[in-house]
Amino acid sequence: MVIGHLQITLAQYASAPDFETQEADDFRDLLTSVIQLAKGGSVTAAATSEAEKLLAESLKQSALQQTASLQKGLDGLLVALLVDGNEESYSHIRQIVIEQATHRADVDRRWFSLMGFDPEIREIMNA
């Protein structure tokens, strides 16, 4: 089993930076969209400002650090929207978050397909 995991790790090693960059780009696009759509009271405004700051700072970070910063900004903003966000804005944001989560789940399933834990992914990838 250990040898199998090492083989999988070696197989993914060269592609890992691209995977990490794609993940960071996906979260950057999502946070940018959420910032643009976020409307609400003072809590949402403060979280939007913080998210904008984290978004700008993320450009100077490695892909893994970018993802962590972008997720932090996204989490803060989504929680703020629950406190005093505009209902229509929240509804629209919820839809794009679900779409992005579905996309990332598919990307992650494909990435981890070599592990063999997801028997359905082979069929999806071959379709």
Side-chain angles (χ1 to χ4, degrees):
M1 188 147 124
V2 172
I3 291 172
H5 283 286
L6 289 173
Q7 289 172 334
I8 291 167
T9 301
L10 288 173
Q12 291 177 325
Y13 183 75
S15 301
D18 292 337
F19 177 85
E20 292 165 356
T21 298
Q22 179 192 26
E23 183 178 47
D25 291 345
D26 284 347
F27 276 103
R28 180 174 298 98
D29 292 346
L30 178 59
L31 183 55
T32 299
S33 295
V34 171
I35 287 169
Q36 291 170 349
L37 295 168
K39 294 181 181 26
S42 61
V43 175
T44 297
T48 300
S49 179
E50 178 65 17
E52 289 171 335
K53 182 180 119 192
L54 290 168
L55 183 64
E57 290 173 357
S58 74
L59 297 173
K60 303 170 195 162
Q61 301 169 332
S62 71
L64 288 175
Q65 292 171 322
Q66 287 178 41
T67 297
S69 292
L70 297 165
Q71 287 173 331
K72 180 179 177 183
L74 185 60
D75 288 347
L77 190 46
L78 294 176
V79 169
L81 285 162
L82 287 173
V83 173
D84 67 355
N86 171 287
E87 191 172 321
E88 183 180 339
S89 173
Y90 178 79
S91 177
H92 195 75
I93 288 168
R94 182 174 179 217
Q95 184 59 41
I96 64 169
V97 167
I98 290 170
E99 289 170 6
Q100 180 64 8
T102 301
H103 165 72
R104 284 305 316 164
D106 182 61
V107 170
D108 291 348
R109 285 178 74 191
R110 291 170 188 272
W111 176 255
F112 290 105
S113 66
L114 293 172
M115 303 289 183
F117 299 133
D118 183 354
E120 296 174 4
I121 193 61
R122 296 273 183 214
E123 294 174 22
I124 293 169
M125 290 173 68
N126 292 331

